[in-house]
Amino acid sequence: MMMKQSLGLGCALLGAIGLTSAADAAEQITFVSQGGAYQQAQTVAILDPSAKKLGITINQDSIPDAWPAIKPQVGSGKPIWDVVDTPTGNCLRGGEQGLMEKLDFSKIPNGAAMPEAYRSPYSVSYEFYSSVLAFSQKTFPKDAPSSWADFWDVKKFPGRRALRNHPFATLEAALMADGVAPDKLYPLDVDRAFKKLEEIKPHITVWWTSGAQSAQLLNDGEVDMEMAWNGRVSAVAKEGAKVSFTYNQGILQSTSLCILKGAPNLGTAVKFLNEAVDPVHQANLPLHIDYGPGNPKAFETGVIKPERAAQLPSEPANAAKQALMSYAWWSSPAGEAAEKRWASFMQK
């Protein structure tokens, strides 16, 4: 009798386990990122290990800029995507417009342990990159420009210059060139920044519009110094170009993960969000691409060797030299007004 009961209980447990496994196997999310080498790297470093550990399926989608597609998806009441990897400002702006789920960090302990500046009610930092001052080592074999004040100093550092045709980071660089400390930038003094930009505008050879273009400008020797993303400069340097950059007064920027309002797999998406910022998964990312981990605890795992860590924008010593971009300010009415003002500045 006892054996029958035990056997029956065992069958019931096996059945329950089988049902649970079936349910777990059915758990899935749709994750969207920016494609290319970046998405390939995160697939190997973060997505595949997370899917295996959680026993879920991660369906992937790619789009260069997810923001224009988010509002119609959520507005339809039946969004397709669950988790989006997008510039942090989009997560904040989406949260304010009711397009993103508010995060319960009690269910995201890896995110809760990150610095407050690296998360918001709607997002958690996923990876870091930096807008840096890059230069030609042929033009400047020694005594290279090392600050935005140097970039603005056309007499001491003559040469062709390029800046990004976008106010993000460019206004911050102008203010640092005018003497504002990296940790005192916000709220941005927009009038002061545009006034300083007027000084350098006649000396800008190219206002670049894509990371690929900025890399090409340096690689082909079309400019002697420019603002560029650190990963782009590193890439052309690895290919043999005589170029370098400094993290001094760089502008540290991030993409973040956020969840669409009404996501079809909300519970699984929250579990994934926590797993995606696990320190070990995060430490794996810079082994495959020149981006820094969003979770600073990644540098404590021992996965990233010291010589590699020294190259990354979010490594603590490098981060300390830079300004952390305030996406909260850029998504505020003042930030949106500054973005609109940029167009008229460029048209003058």
Side-chain angles (χ1 to χ4, degrees):
M1 184 66 181
M2 179 65 74
M3 183 175 290
K4 284 184 178 179
Q5 284 181 330
S6 297
L7 185 60
L9 181 60
C11 288
L13 283 172
L14 285 171
I17 291 169
L19 287 172
T20 302
S21 299
D24 286 347
E27 283 193 62
Q28 60 179 312
I29 61 165
T30 298
F31 174 87
V32 62
S33 186
Q34 298 149 47
Y38 171 54
Q39 193 157 346
Q40 291 174 14
Q42 62 179 303
T43 297
V44 175
I46 297 174
L47 301 183
D48 285 350
S50 295
K52 184 176 181 181
K53 186 174 175 181
L54 296 174
I56 64 173
T57 298
I58 299 176
N59 306 304
Q60 295 193 46
D61 199 354
S62 301
I63 187 170
D65 181 7
W67 177 248
I70 290 174
K71 193 168 186 177
Q73 270 205 37
V74 176
S76 73
K78 294 182 178 179
I80 300 168
W81 298 333
D82 292 289
V83 179
V84 182
D85 170 9
T86 188
T88 301
N90 289 343
C91 294
L92 271 63
R93 191 173 299 176
E96 291 164 0
Q97 296 180 13
L99 303 174
M100 301 297 178
E101 291 283 347
K102 193 168 186 177
L103 301 179
D104 179 355
F105 278 95
S106 70
K107 297 178 180 176
I108 311 172
N110 286 326
M114 290 165 61
E116 283 191 25
Y118 287 15
R119 51 190 164 86
S120 81
Y122 302 99
S123 64
V124 59
S125 292
Y126 187 50
E127 57 86 23
F128 278 103
Y129 60 101
S130 185
S131 293
V132 296
L133 170 52
F135 52 88
S136 164
Q137 291 176 310
K138 290 182 180 177
T139 308
F140 303 104
K142 57 182 181 178
D143 300 327
S146 61
S147 69
W148 294 114
D150 289 348
F151 186 90
W152 257 250
D153 191 339
V154 297
K155 292 182 178 177
K156 185 177 180 182
F157 298 97
R160 297 155 298 176
R161 288 158 160 79
L163 280 173
R164 185 187 179 196
N165 186 358
H166 199 285
F168 282 21
T170 316
L171 265 60
E172 282 90 339
L175 288 169
M176 284 190 275
D178 208 31
V180 180
D183 62 345
K184 304 293 183 187
L185 285 171
Y186 300 98
L188 296 186
D189 185 335
V190 175
D191 289 340
R192 183 175 174 180
F194 276 107
K195 184 179 178 182
K196 192 66 178 176
L197 280 166
E198 294 286 1
E199 287 181 20
I200 200 67
K201 192 176 182 182
H203 304 281
I204 300 299
T205 306
V206 181
W207 294 89
W208 57 264
T209 55
S210 72
Q213 184 187 9
S214 71
Q216 174 263 322
L217 290 169
L218 266 184
N219 192 41
D220 296 351
E222 292 184 40
V223 298
D224 300 293
M225 68 178 86
E226 66 172 351
M227 171 181 281
W229 293 319
N230 68 287
R232 296 288 185 174
V233 186
S234 298
V236 294
K238 286 177 183 174
E239 293 171 359
K242 298 296 183 185
V243 300
S244 188
F245 69 88
T246 177
Y247 277 124
N248 185 46
Q249 296 189 339
I251 297 95
L252 193 59
Q253 295 160 256
S254 63
T255 69
S256 286
L257 298 182
C258 45
I259 300 174
L260 264 62
K261 189 78 173 179
N265 305 288
L266 178 59
T268 309
V270 171
K271 286 194 286 187
F272 166 74
L273 215 68
N274 182 61
E275 195 63 32
V277 294
D278 170 85
V280 174
H281 294 331
Q282 287 273 303
N284 283 329
L285 184 64
L287 305 185
H288 301 279
I289 199 164
D290 286 336
Y291 293 117
N295 189 341
K297 288 187 178 297
F299 291 105
E300 301 171 11
T301 61
V303 174
I304 311 173
K305 302 302 179 190
E307 57 271 23
R308 179 59 174 151
Q311 300 169 345
L312 301 174
S314 56
E315 188 271 335
N318 288 335
K321 300 174 185 174
Q322 303 177 72
L324 179 63
M325 178 169 280
S326 172
Y327 290 98
W329 186 84
W330 276 108
S331 64
S332 71
E336 292 180 358
E339 274 197 74
K340 292 177 182 174
R341 183 170 169 178
W342 181 263
S344 59
F345 166 75
M346 291 301 296
Q347 289 169 0
K348 285 182 184 175

